[in-house]
Amino acid sequence: MNESAISARDLEISFPGKRRAGPIHVLRSINLEVRRGEFVCIVGPSGCGKTTLLNVITGFIRQSSGEVLVQGSPVTGPDPKRIFVFQDNGVFPWLTVEQNIGFGLARRSRDEQREIVHRYVQMVGLTGFEKAYPRELSGGMRQRVEIARALAANPQIIYMDEPFGALDFITRLKMRADLTRIWQEEKKTILFVTHDIEESVQLADRVVVMSQRPGTIRKQIEIDLPRPRDLDSPEYLEVRDEIFHTMGMSLKVGAA
Amino acid sequence: MNKSVLLPAAVLLAVYGLWDGAVLLSHSDIFPRPYQVFLGIAELMQRGLLLKYVVASLFRVSIGFTLAVLIGVPVGLLLGWFRPAFLAFNPLIQILRPISPIAWIPIAILWFHVDDRAPIFLIFLSSVFPITVTSIAAVQNIQPVYVRAAENFGLTRLELFRRVIFPACLPQIITSLRISLGIAWLVVVAAEMIAVNSGLGYLIIDARNAGKRYDLVVAGMLMIGLIGLILDLLIRRLERFEEVKWGYSDRN
Ligand SMILES: Nc1ncnc2c1ncn2[C@@H]1O[C@H](COP(=O)(O)OP(=O)(O)OP(=O)(O)O)[C@@H](O)[C@H]1O
Ligand SMILES: [Mg+2]
């Protein structure tokens, strides 16, 4: 279980900015190791480069320098074994809920497709909406379609970019529990970006705290608490406060 | 009866009255009264000309427009996707596009004489540019997140086109079809005034030249308007398919 699923070394990313201002440095000296089967959360202030980091690891954009190895080989492009759940909704508006969830299953038999789609429709609580189009759903329901679409494709690694941000509190709690269960059952590697520190402590084996732009890794905090996690336990609160503290410090530094 | 029927009916009735009154007051013996136009339509039907001319015009529009769709949509999608091809061909398209189909009439006659191919060619020209240009823009404006999602699921180039690019562009393509069908209908009438001897455009010119039959002129105009309206209503139905509804705002 100690093999590396994701390994980023000395990663730097900058975008060409306006000519006069020069390039925008977004990420600086990122070194990140994610073990196979590990659940890692990334937290950090808005605009620090979390989405950009996931984009590079997935292979949607190329780094400026440094190296990313995923499952042992350099990333050359996106791969269906590693599915990205987008922050802004990537559900296809011209397909129904079930067609969206089955999108990655074209190479399976009809029966398999039907069975898998049915299972994930149930899991994300969209029973009765199978034939609905995304425009007939709420924002949170659309996000659940996207999550189901990713899970249905049975990837080994899932990259999730604030996937629960648009959900209401109750649904979010349920989705966290479901995701934890799926992760435990199916032994997936999950790299999960969130704004929500509570969420990161509830979900992750390890929380990676990033600084403001240019984003660097400020701290990595291992969370060795048994699941399901008791949100009132002193250990939980201690880890949570440590992350708050790290983030708070970074805010003060940023303001100076 | 609801407002959407009552209000237009009132306006049409008022126009009818104004028109009739104006002709009576001016004592014109050449401009027809509305009832004379309806008699004109009846006369055309009796002589078997109305159906013949309508069919002739619709036939030319169908062929020219269908050719424009079959060429404009694929070419537009490909140019929108392959940047070098776009850079190579876009200037040519932009130069050809503003040339009115009417300006092509002499060349159409030169190439095709006065048979059906001349107006068909003109209709094709009038439709193919709006369709191509809209298809190009539709591909270029696809939300990147759709393309990324598709690439992530390991689609081949061909699948990407069929399952994502095409459906993502379809609402805008349908809108361009609607607009260019309207233009095609304008152009067929203009082309028939010059290049052929059948069709509604020919009817109008012929009625004027052979005996100043202005009742038939206006009858022809009325038919053009009505058929244009019907064509628009028919093609609008495409916008109601569930697969494309997302592309239109939720008004009405
Ligand atoms: N294509 C691009 N060109 C130029 N700058 C970009 C580009 N993409 C992102 N940026 C910049 O990089 C920075 C990081 O963006 P990114 O989307 O990764 O932030 P984030 O951490 O995901 O923020 P949030 O939490 O708000 O989603 C931002 O300042 C953004 O303006
Ligand atoms: Mg982001």
Side-chain angles (χ1 to χ4, degrees), chain B residues 49-187:
Chain B
L49 287 179
L50 188 69
L51 190 64
K52 186 178 155 215
Y53 286 168
V54 168
V55 167
S57 295
L58 283 176
F59 167 77
R60 290 168 190 140
V61 167
S62 322
I63 303 288
F65 182 72
T66 306
L67 283 175
V69 174
L70 290 181
I71 292 177
V73 172
V75 166
L77 293 178
L78 289 172
L79 292 185
W81 186 249
F82 296 107
R83 183 92 190 143
F86 171 75
L87 292 176
F89 286 98
N90 189 46
L92 177 67
I93 292 174
Q94 296 303 336
I95 289 170
L96 290 176
R97 187 166 76 111
I99 302 173
S100 160
I102 309 299
W104 284 88
I105 286 179
I107 291 180
I109 293 175
L110 179 69
W111 285 348
F112 303 114
H113 311 288
V114 286
D115 69 29
D116 269 345
R117 285 173 303 163
I120 288 174
F121 173 67
L122 295 172
I123 288 158
F124 169 77
L125 279 178
S126 74
S127 307
V128 78
F129 289 110
I131 293 173
T132 308
V133 170
T134 311
S135 304
I136 291 174
V139 177
Q140 290 175 342
N141 294 329
I142 288 180
Q143 298 215 29
V145 68
Y146 298 147
V147 178
R148 285 187 172 181
E151 286 173 350
N152 201 173
F153 283 102
L155 265 59
T156 62
R157 271 286 166 92
L158 202 65
E159 289 172 325
L160 180 74
F161 249 86
R162 191 174 59 79
R163 298 181 67 194
V164 177
I165 310 276
F166 182 68
C169 294
L170 200 51
Q172 288 174 73
I173 290 175
I174 286 176
T175 302
S176 83
L177 296 190
R178 211 183 104 209
I179 291 167
S180 53
L181 184 60
I183 300 173
W185 189 239
L186 288 175
V187 167

Side-chain angles (χ1 to χ4, degrees), chain A residues 79-80 82 84 94 103 135, chain B residues 148 152 163 167 242 245:
Chain A
D79 186 312
R82 320 188 273 260
F84 195 112
W94 55 87
F103 188 83
R135 66 190 163 78
Chain B
R148 285 187 172 181
N152 201 173
R163 298 181 67 194
E242 290 290 344
K245 263 191 195 165

Side-chain angles (χ1 to χ4, degrees), chain A:
Chain A
M1 277 307 268
N2 251 347
E3 304 152 62
S4 196
I6 303 165
S7 159
R9 288 174 204 151
D10 299 322
L11 211 56
E12 313 259 336
I13 294 148
S14 41
F15 291 107
K18 303 242 164 55
R19 220 191 306 157
R20 195 90 67 72
I24 308 166
H25 298 286
V26 177
L27 292 170
R28 183 164 287 171
S29 30
I30 299 289
N31 284 288
L32 180 67
E33 296 286 328
V34 178
R35 292 184 299 276
R36 212 170 88 183
E38 195 178 19
F39 198 137
V40 172
C41 279
I42 300 177
V43 295
S46 181
C48 75
K50 304 182 294 293
T51 298
T52 307
L53 179 59
L54 284 192
N55 275 327
V56 170
I57 294 175
T58 313
F60 290 139
I61 56 181
R62 295 202 68 68
Q63 64 270 35
S64 310
S65 68
E67 180 181 50
V68 191
L69 299 176
V70 173
Q71 298 176 310
S73 39
V75 175
T76 53
D79 186 312
K81 292 198 285 290
R82 320 188 273 260
I83 297 290
F84 195 112
V85 175
F86 296 92
Q87 182 175 17
D88 45 346
N89 203 270
V91 166
F92 301 119
W94 55 87
L95 297 179
T96 62
V97 166
E98 58 183 8
Q99 289 167 335
N100 262 292
I101 294 177
F103 188 83
L105 305 174
R107 284 167 188 77
R108 308 281 198 112
S109 75
R110 277 282 152 89
D111 286 345
E112 271 184 309
Q113 287 186 23
R114 203 170 322 116
E115 189 266 321
I116 295 170
V117 168
H118 179 71
R119 177 145 47 94
Y120 286 97
V121 164
Q122 276 190 327
M123 174 178 298
V124 297
L126 287 173
T127 310
F129 290 92
E130 291 89 342
K131 306 267 187 250
Y133 281 83
R135 66 190 163 78
E136 300 161 330
L137 305 177
S138 71
M141 290 161 91
R142 281 200 290 270
Q143 194 64 33
R144 282 184 270 158
V145 174
E146 168 133 11
I147 292 164
R149 181 178 73 180
L151 292 172
N154 193 26
Q156 289 150 14
I157 304 181
I158 309 179
Y159 305 117
M160 305 184 102
D161 193 358
E162 298 191 42
F164 303 158
L167 304 182
D168 66 278
F169 186 69
I170 302 288
T171 312
R172 206 179 321 167
L173 288 184
K174 182 179 176 304
M175 293 297 298
R176 285 180 201 166
D178 283 339
L179 186 63
T180 306
R181 197 192 66 239
I182 292 164
W183 168 75
Q184 285 172 328
E185 281 171 6
E186 306 193 7
K187 312 245 181 298
K188 301 199 183 300
T189 307
I190 299 182
L191 189 54
F192 187 106
V193 165
T194 174
H195 266 130
D196 186 334
I197 292 170
E198 303 258 0
E199 181 164 88
S200 69
V201 182
Q202 199 179 354
L203 290 173
D205 292 323
R206 179 156 49 103
V207 178
V208 175
V209 184
M210 290 181 62
S211 71
Q212 278 185 322
R213 212 186 72 197
T216 53
I217 294 179
R218 180 169 284 277
K219 200 165 188 181
Q220 305 204 29
I221 297 157
E222 296 278 348
I223 304 176
D224 198 10
L225 300 175
R227 294 180 173 86
R229 286 177 177 160
D230 176 3
L231 305 190
D232 294 321
S233 75
E235 297 90 342
Y236 175 91
L237 295 173
E238 192 183 318
V239 180
R240 191 196 65 180
D241 289 344
E242 185 184 351
I243 298 172
F244 266 116
H245 187 68
T246 313
M247 297 270 282
M249 287 292 288
S250 77
L251 282 178
K252 269 182 211 154
V253 170

